[in-house]
Amino acid sequence: MRIDYQKLVNYIYHHYIGIILLAAVCSVFSGFFAVKLAKNIKTDFADLLPNDYESVRELNRIKARVGGIGPLMVVITGDDMDKAIDFMLVLADSLEKSPLISSLSRLDNKRELIEANRLLYMDLDDLQEIHARLDDHVELQKLKQSPLYFALDDEEEEGLNFSDIEDKYRKRNGETTGIEQKYGQYVLTKEGNGVILRLYPAGVITDVKFSQALLENLDQTIESIDPKRFHPSLEYVYKGSFKNSANQVKIIMQDLKSTATYSILGVLLLITVYFRQVLGSLFITLPLLMSLAWTFGVTYLAIGSLNMITVGLFAILFGLGIDFGIHIFARYREARRRGTGIEEALTETVVHTGSALTTTAVTTSVAFYSLLLTDFKGFSEFGFIVGTGILFSLVAMVVVCPAFIVLAERFRLISLQRKEIPRHLLRKGRYPMPWITLFLGAIATAYSCFHTFDLEFEYDFSKLKPAPEVSVNKASLPASLKEGRSPAIVLTESYEEAMAVVKRVKEIKAAKGDSSTILNVKSVYSVLPKKQDEKLATIGEIRALLDREERRFSDDERAEVDSLRPYLNVKKLTLYDLPADLTNEFKSKDGEILNFVAINSSVQLKDGLNAIRFAEEIRRIETPSGNLYLASSSHVIIAEMLKVMLDDSTLAVILTLSVVTLVLLIDLRSFVDTFLVLTPLLAALAWVTGFMYVFDIKLNLYNMVAFPTIIGMGIDNGVHIFHRYRETGKGSLRLVLRTTGMALLATSLTTMVGFSGLVPAIHPALTSIGVLSLVGLGSCFIASVTLLPALLQIRERYATA
């Protein structure tokens, strides 16, 4: 880890213009890709797992064949239902030819289909009962015509009556309200105050550009039609996963702008106040912004996108990278104030501070790169971006920042030279009360460790998503649409396969009883009547009986019989006899009717524990024939992602700690020194868990990444304190804290300002990362300027005794 910093400084001093120009050109080139990266944010949880995972492969197969799972729904309400329907129909006609929509459903034709084929949709037993009653009635009438027939006095003759069977199906299909009877052919809201248009997009939810284009096209179409033209009271709102995904991206983009602005302005203000140099802060910030352009340009080329965890890294890396610049500029200012020349001051700065910076940067970056060994992309991609960003920040601050300093000195834009050497730069001293410091730190650490296992994990994903937009549209979806918004999908290739899967899932549900998480299972064939051949045979027998024995019925009975006749002339229904409204949800992007099976959950899948239970119950379905079918959906992915993340979080902490320890050993070449530098970091980690316990902060999918982050960044403080102490010698801890300690305060505050930009974010994911990281960074700073000096002072005292 030995670099010839003197030659480096000499080169920078004589070629500063060329270095600045080269850095600027690289920044412009990288910035082009960084802008493209910012526009490619993936909000799907499937993007947090490797593509070779079984559930991810299956979900990708489903997306390729089916497209978007679940419709985008336009809910239209108003005081005049007829006008609302008129607007919906005009909107549907306008969207029907859109390339962004594969199909749409205006009507709810299921009731009409069942009514027209009511005998086919009856249970076979009930249909046979009708036949039996008709046959018995005919036989009775034949007996009555016999001269030997006589009725018993107490025998009450019953007429032909099917009211009990009619009542059974009336109850099964539910009572209809007045508005449902009038507008029953449409899909109505739960409250009956509006109508719903179902759109089936041609793209997938993970395609952010497609989702945005779809909603923009829909907005423009509705605006051109103008619903107020139909009736002033008409309102509309979008519902469904496509709307939710686009809303998340919109909120994230808003958060990115606000957090970046807050971080940059906050850091600039802190640096300006600390150095009392406006231009000085610019010469630190410009190289950092260049390094960020390099980082995100490389990220675009290597990964191609940001996910829900890496999306806030601009603010984080800005706060992180500025640390190097503060250390460089603070040491340079200190040297110049002692009357040192420009090149000599740069040499002193880069040789001494550069060595410590290289150690901390390499330690931190390698610690983050170790996260590449985890499967959870929230960790691995985070590790790659932060590790790369830290190395680029090091290069920018050790090479480009000094070039800007030389430029500023040559043009006299800054003036740091003073005649008198400040006394505090010469005065040394011991660290006071080291034993008391260690005692208090030990109490806080012990309390925190004791309550570590009391921490809870947040499984409710609704608390980790932005609050839904407030809508004036006071309408909700009917239960039939809610249950089918996020089903688990099983791809099959034929009717036989689909029916075998449906049967097996029903068996699984029955075996589990009340503990099952399965609500229902259906395929496109579920809309078709069951046992059609047997029913058609029975219907044919009924039709033949009525044609043959029509004279056996009285006038009153003939009215009952005639009510059956319209339903006797039926044929076997196939998928292509079904109205398009009933098959749209089972169509491919190309309009082909597919054989897949949809499994709906009976539990709230926003609860991660329920998602895990549901996934375990239906993920792998083996039919009696020995065929294995895989079910997948966003919630199956969530279940697997949770298990992977919880496993990888432990691995991530172990990896980062191991790498940090190894690099420290290589640099310090002493087990004792390594232990001393690690102690404040380990104590700070414990304090974070204690803080979480006291303030009831739960671990979640997003803030788990804060722990390897705290390890990777928190070690810097201890390394700088130790390097400066080793440079200044025994009895210098007060000097170390007044110089390096103050620089660490500035760097910690700037890093915390970078993270604090995440706290006011609208998206709870960014907020949770920001809060926990702030606590961790603050704890690391306090531990490094208290516990480490106390340990060094005690060792120094015993070494001289």
Side-chain angles (χ1 to χ4, degrees), residues 136-154:
D136 290 344
H137 182 80
V138 169
E139 292 301 320
L140 179 60
Q141 298 306 314
K142 288 180 179 180
L143 286 173
K144 284 184 178 181
Q145 294 177 4
S146 171
L148 300 177
Y149 173 81
F150 66 93
L152 299 175
D153 293 337
D154 60 348

Side-chain angles (χ1 to χ4, degrees), residues 490-507 521-531 575 586 594-598 621 623-625 629:
V490 183
L491 292 178
T492 57
E493 303 300 330
S494 65
Y495 169 81
E496 291 75 20
E497 288 189 9
M499 289 299 97
V501 170
V502 169
K503 181 181 178 182
R504 180 59 187 142
V505 172
K506 288 181 177 179
E507 290 172 353
V521 56
K522 62 180 181 179
S523 72
V524 68
Y525 302 103
S526 300
V527 186
L528 294 173
K530 307 296 185 293
K531 301 180 179 179
L575 292 180
F586 292 96
L594 299 176
N595 291 303
F596 67 82
V597 174
I621 301 167
T623 59
S625 63
Y629 299 90

Side-chain angles (χ1 to χ4, degrees), residues 49-312:
L49 288 176
N51 291 329
D52 59 354
Y53 268 50
E54 189 176 72
S55 55
V56 176
R57 286 203 312 269
E58 194 64 18
L59 185 62
N60 289 335
R61 216 164 61 95
I62 291 168
K63 290 175 180 176
R65 292 184 61 182
V66 181
I69 300 172
L72 171 64
M73 291 165 280
V74 185
V75 181
I76 304 163
T77 58
D79 297 335
D80 189 324
M81 181 64 82
D82 290 315
K83 297 299 182 183
I85 291 173
D86 289 342
F87 168 63
M88 184 272 289
L89 294 175
V90 172
L91 176 61
D93 291 341
S94 301
L95 294 171
E96 198 159 27
K97 301 299 182 182
S98 172
L100 300 174
I101 297 171
S102 61
S103 61
L104 53 82
S105 296
R106 304 172 177 82
L107 307 174
D108 182 7
N109 285 315
K110 188 172 183 179
R111 185 176 299 174
E112 183 180 335
L113 176 72
I114 292 175
E115 178 61 27
N117 298 274
R118 60 192 305 182
L119 295 183
L120 278 178
Y121 281 96
M122 276 187 176
D123 295 338
L124 181 59
D125 292 343
D126 291 330
L127 195 59
Q128 290 172 341
E129 176 64 21
I130 291 174
H131 179 242
R133 291 185 189 183
L134 288 170
D135 192 53
D136 290 344
H137 182 80
V138 169
E139 292 301 320
L140 179 60
Q141 298 306 314
K142 288 180 179 180
L143 286 173
K144 284 184 178 181
Q145 294 177 4
S146 171
L148 300 177
Y149 173 81
F150 66 93
L152 299 175
D153 293 337
D154 60 348
E155 184 179 354
E156 183 178 348
E157 184 177 335
E158 295 183 3
L160 194 61
N161 187 358
F162 303 116
S163 60
D164 58 330
I165 298 176
E166 291 176 352
D167 288 342
K168 173 182 176 180
Y169 288 95
R170 191 178 297 113
K171 291 177 181 178
R172 176 181 292 183
N173 296 327
E175 297 294 334
T176 56
T177 62
I179 195 166
E180 287 176 338
Q181 291 176 350
K182 184 176 181 181
Y183 302 108
Q185 70 270 37
Y186 302 104
V187 179
L188 304 180
T189 61
K190 182 180 179 181
E191 297 78 6
N193 62 344
V195 64
I196 300 172
L197 174 64
R198 291 164 292 165
L199 308 174
Y200 295 89
V204 296
I205 190 173
T206 50
D207 188 337
V208 175
K209 290 182 180 178
F210 173 82
S211 296
Q212 291 176 331
L214 173 65
L215 292 174
E216 287 174 5
N217 177 260
L218 192 51
D219 285 335
Q220 292 169 3
T221 303
I222 291 176
E223 185 179 347
S224 66
I225 296 173
D226 186 13
K228 300 296 182 183
R229 180 168 58 86
F230 290 79
H231 196 276
S233 67
L234 291 190
E235 301 286 348
Y236 69 91
V237 68
Y238 307 141
K239 291 184 180 290
S241 54
F242 274 89
K243 171 60 178 174
N244 297 337
S245 175
N247 186 46
Q248 283 211 64
V249 172
K250 178 182 176 183
I251 289 173
I252 287 172
M253 294 306 295
Q254 291 175 352
D255 284 342
L256 282 178
K257 294 175 184 177
S258 63
T259 55
T261 303
Y262 179 87
S263 298
I264 292 173
L265 293 179
V267 168
L268 280 174
L269 179 62
L270 273 176
I271 297 175
T272 302
V273 171
Y274 179 73
F275 289 116
R276 299 177 186 177
Q277 289 273 352
V278 176
L279 289 177
S281 63
L282 290 177
F283 295 142
I284 297 174
T285 304
L286 286 176
L288 175 59
L289 292 176
M290 290 179 175
S291 73
L292 291 180
W294 307 341
T295 300
F296 289 110
V298 169
T299 299
Y300 178 79
L301 296 175
I303 299 175
S305 63
L306 296 172
N307 59 48
M308 290 295 295
I309 292 177
T310 59
V311 72

Side-chain angles (χ1 to χ4, degrees), residues 11 42 82 89 98 107-108 188 191 200 280 284 332 363 366 458 519 543 597 601 604 607 676 704:
Y11 186 85
K42 295 184 177 180
D82 290 315
L89 294 175
S98 172
L107 307 174
D108 182 7
L188 304 180
E191 297 78 6
Y200 295 89
I284 297 174
Y332 177 78
T363 303
V366 173
E458 181 59 81
L519 176 64
R543 184 172 59 247
V597 174
S601 170
Q604 289 284 342
D607 185 324
L676 289 175
M704 290 291 286

Side-chain angles (χ1 to χ4, degrees), residues 412-487:
R412 298 182 180 179
L413 298 176
I414 56 175
S415 178
L416 301 173
Q417 196 165 7
R418 285 178 54 171
K419 293 181 180 179
E420 290 188 20
I421 301 174
R423 292 183 179 179
H424 76 274
L425 293 181
L426 300 174
R427 190 170 61 247
K428 295 185 178 183
R430 298 176 181 275
Y431 181 82
M433 299 182 291
W435 285 109
I436 294 177
T437 301
L438 288 182
F439 176 73
L440 294 176
I443 290 177
T445 304
Y447 176 84
S448 300
C449 290
F450 181 76
H451 290 290
T452 297
F453 294 102
D454 294 330
L455 297 180
E456 297 181 358
F457 189 86
E458 181 59 81
Y459 285 98
D460 188 349
F461 279 84
S462 64
K463 296 180 180 179
L464 302 177
K465 293 182 179 180
E469 295 178 340
V470 178
S471 173
V472 295
N473 193 312
K474 304 299 181 183
S476 54
L477 300 177
S480 60
L481 287 184
K482 281 185 177 180
E483 72 179 29
R485 283 191 296 177
S486 186

Side-chain angles (χ1 to χ4, degrees), residues 34 129 182 229 232 244 265 322 334-335 374 411 414 467 469 489 573 595 611 615 634 655 666 682 686 698 720 745 786:
E129 176 64 21
K182 184 176 181 181
R229 180 168 58 86
N244 297 337
L265 293 179
I322 204 73
E334 180 186 331
T374 62
F411 287 91
I414 56 175
E469 295 178 340
I489 301 297
L573 295 179
N595 291 303
S634 60
L655 281 173
I666 295 172
L682 297 175
K698 294 183 178 181
H720 282 293
L745 174 62
T786 56

